[in-house]
Amino acid sequence: MTTAAPGRPALRGAVGTARTRVEGRDKVTGAARYAGEIPFADLAHGWLVLSTVARGRIRTVEADPVLAMPGVLAVLHHGNAPRLNTDYIGMLGVPPDPTSAVFQDDRVPFAGWPVALVVAETPEEAREAAGALVVTYDREPHDTVLVPGHPGAYPAAGHMPAETEKGDLEARFGESAFIVDQEYTTPEEQHGMMEPHAATARWDAGRLEVVDSNQGAGWVQSELAAMFSLDASAVRVRSEHIGGGFGSKGLRAHQVSAVMAATALRRPVRVVLTRRQVFSLGGYRSPTAQRVRLGAAPDGRLLALEHRSLNQTSTVYEFVEPSAGVARVMYDAEAHRTANHVVRLDVPSPTWMRAPGEAPGSFAIEAALDELAERAGLDPIDLRLRNEPEAGPVSGLPFSNRNLAACFREGARRFGWADRDPRPGVRRDGRWLLGTGTAAASFGAGAAPSTALVTAEEDGSFTVRITAADIGTGARTALTLIAADALETVPDRVRVRIGDSDFGPAMIAGGSMGTRSWAWAVTAAAAELRERLATTTVVPPEGITVRSDTTEALGSLARKERHSYGAQFAEVAVDTATGEIRVRRMLGIFAAGRIVNPLTARNQLVGGMTWGISMALHEEAVRDRNTGVHYAPDFAGYHVATHADVPDVEADWVDDHDPDDPVGIKGVGEIGIVGAAAAVANAVHHATGVRHRHLPIRPDRVIEAAAGSAGGAVDA
């Protein structure tokens, strides 16, 4: 049966073909509009003032001199701002971070806390006035340093149990032929998206409208409605284009303060964060201190596994970086213990960041497995394959499919792993020591209830409306291809509109669940629409619209462990005299379900792997323990990998079909970074014979380790 109307071509097979982004031309020509550049009549501009102390109380805000400055319209602070409702649970099942509920009291819990908003006619006037605003504080002692064994640490659940345990751990360690017991640390990392956070708020005929850069317009809309005690229908949030998010772009101080100012002035107000303000208010990946203990039989089979992780959170909000969760999916043992702990410090709240938990957690567990392979005299890939679990190590659920072994086999073949000399420190290229390393990767393949609207237009085209967000992933293009196949038409006849909360509730762009969740909703609506069209001879001028809701369908999906998997391979060159490390080539092979658009999927995977290189060698946000303030919170002081650091990075995938999954899409946005830093670190060890357990592997650490190695030490 075909549902194509006369004159309308019917075609299947758009999914799986490489397509350039539907909005690509607009982005490269400058026609695409981002949140900070959409024009509004009578627009005013807000500039946030952030605290300069790490802990204390606001004594005075000397607003009167600033209000007398040219163009200044208002100064909002805790003494005059409206009271907000924070007693609610947000869309993602968590309470709001008080950092976003600005100006509610005189407390200062960290350096960079919002203490005032200056609003003026122009951004230049707002910035000058904000710089002139005098705020005095009563300072209090502070603690901003995460250290292993911090006395304030406690178990915290987040989105998974805080601790899991089975078997007699110490007894199995006592039976083990090989034991690894090491500490691994990762530093604070920043999202560093190209587009800083920006939002414009205005009231239009009694309805609040916010034009924003976010990862879920429905998410921000529901949070704003709850916080300002508004009916959800009285709030609309639009997010036309987003220049990167990585977990950072949810509800933040800039949207809330913009709404406050727009309400007070009854005119549109825009608030844009500076790069330095993003370091304080945009969230970040918490540093971690992880302990991994592995005990193995003579054949390398794990008998005991313990993975404990500690991260920091703010004193006003609990956020868990669930790094120990990696072991709950990847490796089993007769005795198995994992724990995620946090400690409250006088620092900003961390947040989700590309592969939260998996990225730092995979560094620790995959580096420890590399150490175990060396002690057991086994090939690192062979060790991992010997420890492939038959079911979820903690959940006990069956795997929907688990193609990690296929990733390793294909990756080893293409990388030339069989030719590797396992002895460390024996390969040279002039002054460079050469080494290769590998690591495994996994990331959950979840989905969340979503709605979609699909309309058959009178001219034979189709319009899809869904509250999705394209944060640079190519979501618009992917949904266009998915809808075209579901409607049995060509992509050119499909228009996809996203980023508008008026389209109804839908999953955010996060957790590698966006495309999977949205595709399910779009496909369901398209199927019903095709049935309607099969009995319709004429499409009316207003079109025929069908709405889907996947809540019930998701509830009926069989309970299984569903994940993407990957095998990461890296070759590095190390100059121990200068400490310079160069990643000469990197290969990732992934099992990530049905690949919708190979062009943008490869882009996402390579982007994640590039970030993994950056994580291993460059990224480290450092705070002054005396002030709680970042050193150089900008791209001059916060180092990231550039083109010169990434000469040859290749990503590909193996077939990965789940017969029980009606969608088959798993997501590729986050799996690329998982295991990447570990592969690089393991390659550095193979090159030098020195094990680096603390990221990033800076030149000074390489030089110190080389000097120590000459004296007999082999760890750094």
Side-chain angles (χ1 to χ4, degrees):
M1 178 187 71
T2 178
T3 58
R8 181 188 301 148
L11 180 69
R12 296 188 65 81
V15 169
T17 60
R19 300 292 181 111
T20 58
R21 299 168 189 260
V22 295
E23 81 283 9
R25 182 178 179 83
D26 286 346
K27 285 184 173 178
V28 299
T29 60
R33 302 185 305 174
Y34 291 83
E37 56 192 17
I38 297 174
F40 288 90
D42 199 29
L43 179 64
H45 300 267
W47 201 278
L48 282 166
V49 178
L50 309 185
S51 71
T52 57
V53 302
R55 184 178 176 184
R57 297 277 178 175
I58 300 171
R59 184 187 302 164
T60 62
V61 178
E62 299 179 21
D64 288 343
V66 169
L67 288 168
M69 294 178 69
V72 175
L73 302 169
V75 177
L76 295 176
H77 53 85
H78 72 279
N80 60 11
R83 300 300 94 185
L84 300 173
N85 170 39
T86 57
D87 186 18
Y88 68 91
I89 299 298
M91 175 181 174
L92 299 180
V94 296
D97 183 345
T99 308
S100 62
V102 292
F103 318 141
Q104 295 302 288
D105 55 47
D106 64 353
R107 178 180 50 174
V108 174
F110 56 78
W113 175 264
V115 296
L117 179 79
V118 177
V119 187
E121 295 287 355
T122 69
E124 293 81 9
E125 290 170 331
R127 180 172 191 168
E128 182 181 6
L133 183 66
V134 175
V135 181
T136 60
Y137 305 92
D138 291 322
R139 296 173 182 261
E140 298 173 4
H142 64 265
D143 180 7
T144 62
V145 181
L146 179 71
V147 294
H150 194 289
Y154 64 92
H159 287 282
M160 62 177 66
E163 299 177 333
T164 66
E165 184 172 7
K166 67 178 181 181
D168 188 333
L169 203 68
E170 299 310 321
R172 297 289 83 79
F173 274 120
E175 299 169 4
S176 298
F178 307 104
I179 293 176
V180 170
D181 184 352
Q182 296 293 347
E183 298 273 356
Y184 303 85
T185 65
T186 60
E188 176 183 328
E189 297 175 68
Q190 289 283 331
H191 297 78
M193 70 294 295
M194 291 182 68
E195 177 205 22
H197 301 64
T200 303
R202 68 170 181 170
W203 289 90
D204 184 13
R207 193 181 193 208
L208 175 64
E209 181 180 29
V210 176
V211 177
D212 190 22
S213 176
N214 63 55
Q215 294 179 231
W219 175 22
V220 174
Q221 178 244 15
S222 64
E223 297 268 353
L224 288 174
M227 192 169 283
F228 285 90
S229 301
L230 298 169
D231 190 271
S233 63
V235 182
R236 181 188 187 189
V237 175
R238 293 190 292 120
S239 191
E240 194 169 321
H241 292 286
I242 305 107
F246 310 117
S248 173
K249 287 186 174 175
L251 186 71
R252 298 283 171 199
H254 65 292
Q255 297 123 320
V256 177
S257 60
V259 173
M260 283 183 172
T263 303
L265 297 175
R266 286 294 159 176
R267 60 187 285 189
V269 176
R270 175 172 294 158
V271 179
V272 180
L273 299 186
T274 67
R275 179 64 62 191
R276 286 177 170 252
Q277 289 175 339
V278 169
F279 269 69
S280 296
L281 298 179
Y284 58 95
R285 194 194 304 281
S286 168
T288 68
Q290 302 178 58
R291 183 185 182 188
V292 178
R293 292 203 297 164
L294 304 175
D299 63 356
R301 182 175 56 87
L302 286 172
L303 300 178
L305 183 155
E306 183 179 33
H307 188 176
R308 306 176 69 88
S309 178
L310 174 67
N311 76 267
Q312 71 186 32
T313 190
S314 70
T315 60
V316 296
Y317 183 73
E318 181 183 274
F319 181 84
V320 183
E321 181 76 23
S323 301
V326 176
R328 302 177 187 181
V329 172
M330 290 299 288
Y331 304 106
D332 203 355
E334 295 176 19
H336 195 284
R337 179 190 295 167
T338 64
N340 290 310
H341 288 194
V342 302
V343 60
R344 295 184 180 274
L345 299 176
D346 303 308
V347 296
S349 303
T351 193
W352 299 285
M353 183 167 166
R354 201 171 196 169
E358 280 85 356
S362 66
F363 163 66
I365 194 77
E366 294 297 319
L369 279 163
D370 204 64
E371 298 197 46
L372 181 63
E374 183 182 27
R375 296 186 187 187
L378 293 172
D379 178 84
I381 295 177
D382 185 28
L383 175 70
R384 287 168 172 82
L385 296 183
R386 290 186 187 195
N387 284 285
E388 273 288 271
E390 296 181 357
V394 171
S395 71
L397 293 173
F399 292 103
S400 60
N401 58 353
R402 185 178 168 105
N403 286 327
L404 178 60
C407 295
F408 269 119
R409 285 193 294 268
E410 177 63 12
R413 182 189 68 80
R414 291 174 56 167
F415 194 74
W417 187 262
D419 299 328
R420 178 183 191 258
D421 186 332
R423 295 174 300 166
V426 298
R427 287 180 60 208
R428 279 191 174 271
D429 179 8
R431 63 188 175 90
W432 300 94
L433 291 170
L434 305 182
T436 53
T438 190
S442 74
F443 196 84
S450 298
T451 62
L453 298 162
V454 180
T455 301
E457 307 289 359
E458 187 182 24
D459 63 0
S461 65
F462 297 89
T463 302
V464 176
R465 296 173 178 85
I466 185 167
T467 311
D470 191 332
I471 58 173
T473 56
R476 277 187 181 86
T477 310
L479 292 176
T480 299
L481 303 183
I482 290 163
D485 277 7
L487 293 164
E488 298 184 351
T489 188
V490 293
D492 289 347
R493 288 187 175 269
V494 177
R495 292 182 299 275
V496 173
R497 296 182 57 195
I498 63 175
D500 190 330
S501 63
D502 277 359
F503 296 158
M507 176 58 187
I508 68 167
S512 284
M513 294 193 289
T515 300
R516 174 172 164 80
S517 302
W518 306 325
W520 205 325
V522 169
T523 302
E528 184 178 342
L529 181 59
R530 280 178 21 236
E531 292 179 3
R532 294 268 300 272
L533 291 175
T535 60
T536 302
T537 57
V538 177
V539 176
E542 68 275 14
I544 299 174
T545 299
V546 168
R547 181 182 185 273
S548 66
D549 186 336
T550 61
T551 303
E552 185 176 343
L554 277 170
S556 63
L557 190 63
R559 290 188 66 233
K560 293 185 177 181
E561 291 259 3
R562 289 183 168 84
H563 305 273
S564 294
Y565 296 97
Q568 303 271 19
F569 297 83
E571 180 179 22
V572 304
V574 184
D575 184 337
T576 57
T578 66
E580 183 179 1
I581 300 174
R582 289 291 180 183
V583 177
R584 290 195 167 185
R585 60 189 177 110
M586 194 163 183
L587 170 68
I589 301 293
F590 301 93
R594 185 163 60 119
I595 302 300
V596 178
N597 183 356
L599 185 64
T600 52
R602 185 169 281 107
N603 174 276
Q604 285 292 292
L605 293 169
V606 169
M609 294 168 67
T610 301
W611 202 339
I613 294 172
S614 198
M615 175 182 177
L617 304 180
H618 302 286
E619 297 193 39
E620 183 180 23
V622 181
R623 295 180 186 276
D624 183 337
R625 67 173 59 208
N626 295 314
T627 64
V629 176
H630 280 118
Y631 290 106
D634 50 41
F635 286 154
Y638 182 77
H639 295 172
V640 298
T642 62
H643 286 293
D645 301 301
V646 192
D648 183 5
V649 178
E650 183 181 357
D652 210 339
W653 44 83
V654 298
D655 289 337
D656 188 44
H657 175 62
D658 177 2
D660 297 328
D661 191 331
V663 178
I665 298 167
K666 290 186 175 180
V668 295
E670 304 187 73
I671 185 68
I673 192 176
V674 183
V680 173
N682 292 340
V684 171
H685 169 262
H686 185 234
T688 64
V690 177
R691 183 72 63 179
H692 290 268
R693 302 188 183 95
H694 309 287
L695 297 185
I697 309 174
R698 301 188 310 253
D700 62 306
R701 288 175 170 169
V702 174
I703 294 171
E704 291 171 5
S709 179
V714 293
D715 297 326

